[in-house]
Amino acid sequence: MPPTWGKASPAERRCMVVEEIRRQEEAARYARAVSQPQQGRWMRWNGTAKKKISWSELWSMESNRLSFIIKATYDILPTPANLHLWLGEDPACPLCSAPAGLKHILVGCKTSLSQGRYTWRHNQVLRCLASAIEEKRTATNAAPPNVYPEVQTPTAFIREVMQCANHNDFKIPKCVGSAVSSLCAMVIVQQQRQTGECSFRSQAVDL
């Protein structure tokens, strides 16, 4: 339990003042966000996963990626719904005629779902990942056994593949990598057992 103001030391009083100012500023920020119908939409998010982005991650991001993350968070991307508010343009989705907000464009258009557009989008990520895995597998199998002594597990193999794919101007999201990595490990182990090439020890993968 924190000490009272009368019993607190000078250092503790400074901490108490800082915490009180931080609390008041946070409360004012929330109150301002609630009153903003556009930039305060994040206050009404339900069931979303929290993600902390460190300063090192911010500095390492490309400018267009960082711009998209910020604008998507505050829903100020030039979607048809926003262009209708700003410029009076038609807010309808060109595929299904529903109001085309950010959520509708990313995951909510039934026409895009039925036409396989969302599947195509996800397949582009998996295709790049599969290409990097195949390239690494081919290079590993073509090399003498003693050239890659460190690549003995699916963990090391997949981490190297992810780094290779990320360096080829294609940033694989961490959520995609962690979800696909275990599946890739099982596929790799199964294929290598069948062909006898580059035997790996099966183990859990956590990227």
Side-chain angles (χ1 to χ4, degrees), residues 45-110:
W45 288 354
N46 295 318
T48 55
K50 292 184 178 180
K51 177 177 175 58
K52 278 192 173 182
I53 301 179
S54 64
W55 282 108
S56 60
E57 290 177 318
L58 285 175
W59 284 113
S60 62
M61 284 184 184
E62 301 88 346
S63 58
N64 56 350
R65 182 184 176 193
L66 180 59
S67 175
F68 177 83
I69 290 176
I70 295 175
K71 291 181 178 179
T73 300
Y74 294 103
D75 194 11
I76 54 175
L77 288 168
T79 60
N82 285 342
L83 292 176
H84 175 71
L85 293 175
W86 302 335
L87 304 175
E89 297 186 6
D90 185 8
C93 173
L95 297 176
C96 66
S97 300
L102 180 62
K103 182 178 180 181
H104 177 86
I105 293 174
L106 294 179
V107 296
C109 181
K110 295 182 179 179

Side-chain angles (χ1 to χ4, degrees), residues 14-201:
R14 284 194 297 270
C15 291
M16 294 169 67
V17 170
V18 170
E19 289 298 323
E20 179 63 21
I21 294 175
R22 181 180 290 115
R23 187 189 65 79
Q24 293 180 5
E25 288 297 322
E26 190 71 8
R29 186 175 74 92
Y30 272 82
R32 185 167 59 253
V34 170
S35 64
Q36 295 174 328
Q38 192 71 16
Q39 291 86 348
R41 285 175 182 255
W42 59 273
M43 294 288 295
R44 297 185 290 276
W45 288 354
N46 295 318
T48 55
K50 292 184 178 180
K51 177 177 175 58
K52 278 192 173 182
I53 301 179
S54 64
W55 282 108
S56 60
E57 290 177 318
L58 285 175
W59 284 113
S60 62
M61 284 184 184
E62 301 88 346
S63 58
N64 56 350
R65 182 184 176 193
L66 180 59
S67 175
F68 177 83
I69 290 176
I70 295 175
K71 291 181 178 179
T73 300
Y74 294 103
D75 194 11
I76 54 175
L77 288 168
T79 60
N82 285 342
L83 292 176
H84 175 71
L85 293 175
W86 302 335
L87 304 175
E89 297 186 6
D90 185 8
C93 173
L95 297 176
C96 66
S97 300
L102 180 62
K103 182 178 180 181
H104 177 86
I105 293 174
L106 294 179
V107 296
C109 181
K110 295 182 179 179
T111 303
S112 294
L113 180 62
S114 62
Q115 292 180 353
R117 293 171 182 256
Y118 294 144
T119 303
W120 177 88
R121 183 182 64 192
H122 290 101
N123 286 347
Q124 303 314 301
V125 178
L126 297 179
R127 182 174 290 111
C128 180
L129 183 60
S131 176
I133 290 177
E134 179 61 22
E135 180 181 347
K136 181 61 183 174
R137 185 191 69 83
T138 303
T140 303
N141 289 335
N146 59 349
V147 173
Y148 293 95
E150 72 281 5
V151 184
Q152 296 293 325
T153 66
T155 303
F157 182 81
I158 293 174
R159 279 179 177 163
E160 192 166 349
V161 167
M162 297 286 286
Q163 292 174 358
C164 176
N166 284 335
H167 286 310
N168 289 335
D169 297 328
F170 187 93
K171 299 299 182 181
I172 298 178
K174 185 176 181 181
C175 59
V176 175
S178 59
V180 175
S181 59
S182 297
L183 176 60
C184 291
M186 291 187 291
V187 172
I188 292 169
V189 171
Q190 183 178 8
Q191 289 179 346
Q192 304 310 325
R193 284 176 178 173
Q194 293 174 353
T195 60
E197 300 174 336
C198 270
S199 60
F200 292 97
R201 295 195 303 270

